[in-house]
Amino acid sequence: MEATVRWTLVTAIAPIAWGTNYFVTHEYLPAGHPLHGAVLRSLPAGILLLALRRRMPHGSWWWKSLVLGTLNMGSFFTLVYLAAQLLPTSIASTVMAASPLVLMVSAWAVVAERPRPLPLLGGTIGLAGVGLMLLTGTARPDALGVLASATAMVLSSLGYVLAKRWNTGTDVIASTAWQLVAGGLVVLPLALAVEGAPPSLDTGAVLGFAYVSVVATAIAFVAWFAGLRRLPAAAVGLVGLLNPVTGVLLGTAVASETLTPQQLCGLLLVLAGIVLGQPVAATAAARIRARAGTADPRRTGPPARTGRRDTG
């Protein structure tokens, strides 16, 4: 159980970092360049991780890295960058909160990991909480931004499950680096063809990209993929709900976005859903059922013999 809690906390680094990414992108990075934004986020992070683990892909990992890099990095970063430019921080991060349920369905289809009742309940409660935060906010969501965020969620959920299926003990830092480099290289030609030369960056944008690339990408994805290797996909997906929680709290604290009482209730529901779907909660529920079964007189056997003989 201690190892499960530890890896859950490690996994939580990723959605918290991703929740801050929306604010940094919206406030500091140049608008209108989602493709170049994806390249500048992905390639530096991949090169940094490659410098830490000097290993190149081998065997089937050449094409697996390309597939995963396209799903988890290239297309995902492009769509998230676009969503962050079109949506307020709170809404951009909460749209992604349907990902636990999508991830559970994907894991069932791809790796035969059947969803269990508690994670399903936790995902439903979390989604209801997200609905309260999203539908009762003061800002009106942009339709294109919501579509971009939802598409990113679906593609990345598929990519995460494939990464879990293809895990063969490969070093997590190396495999993450390969995906990041592949994703950046896939998007780079498209960025040059569609958006032209990379945008000019001021000091704020340079620092913003440095934060997004190192913290919200390199560190975050290593933590996320490490969690996927050691925890059920459903539990990891529910930890991802910390993304909207971070986005809403950061938007309230820094971006002067209003947190209504209904949004606060939604946020509490999201936290309850995260806790309910974790393996620790399932273990605790099993222990409670076992104790209840032991205490139930209908489940006890015949009275134990005392060892006394009838003297007659």
Side-chain angles (χ1 to χ4, degrees), residues 2 31 40 75 105 112 179 186-187 202 205 214-215 224 238 243 275 300:
E2 290 182 5
L40 291 172
S75 60
V105 173
Q179 294 180 55
V186 166
V187 177
D202 57 19
V214 175
V215 178
W224 184 254
L238 285 167
N243 184 333
V275 174
T300 58

Side-chain angles (χ1 to χ4, degrees), residues 97-148:
S99 60
L101 294 175
V102 176
L103 191 58
M104 289 180 206
V105 173
S106 301
W108 190 5
V110 177
V111 296
E113 191 176 288
R114 185 183 296 271
R116 296 183 178 273
L118 281 180
L120 280 174
L121 180 59
T124 303
I125 292 175
L127 187 58
V130 168
L132 286 177
M133 289 191 293
L134 175 62
L135 299 178
T136 61
T138 55
R140 186 173 182 177
D142 181 273
L144 180 59
V146 172
L147 178 61

Side-chain angles (χ1 to χ4, degrees), residues 21 24 28-29 40-41 44-45 48 201-219:
N21 173 67
V24 174
Y28 297 104
L29 303 189
L40 291 172
R41 177 180 179 180
L48 173 63
L201 304 178
D202 57 19
T203 302
V206 170
L207 294 176
F209 271 119
Y211 174 84
V212 166
S213 186
V214 175
V215 178
T217 303
I219 295 175

Side-chain angles (χ1 to χ4, degrees), residues 189-285:
L190 187 60
L192 294 174
V194 175
E195 296 177 356
S200 58
L201 304 178
D202 57 19
T203 302
V206 170
L207 294 176
F209 271 119
Y211 174 84
V212 166
S213 186
V214 175
V215 178
T217 303
I219 295 175
F221 274 95
V222 168
W224 184 254
F225 287 127
L228 271 173
R229 292 189 177 192
R230 294 167 176 85
L231 299 172
V236 173
L238 285 167
V239 173
L241 289 174
L242 289 174
N243 184 333
V245 170
T246 303
V248 168
L249 294 178
L250 187 62
T252 302
V254 180
S256 301
E257 297 175 6
T258 302
L259 183 64
T260 67
Q262 288 177 314
Q263 284 180 307
L264 179 59
C265 291
L267 188 148
L268 295 176
L269 282 177
V270 170
L271 293 177
I274 294 173
V275 174
L276 189 62
Q278 296 308 305
V280 174
T283 302

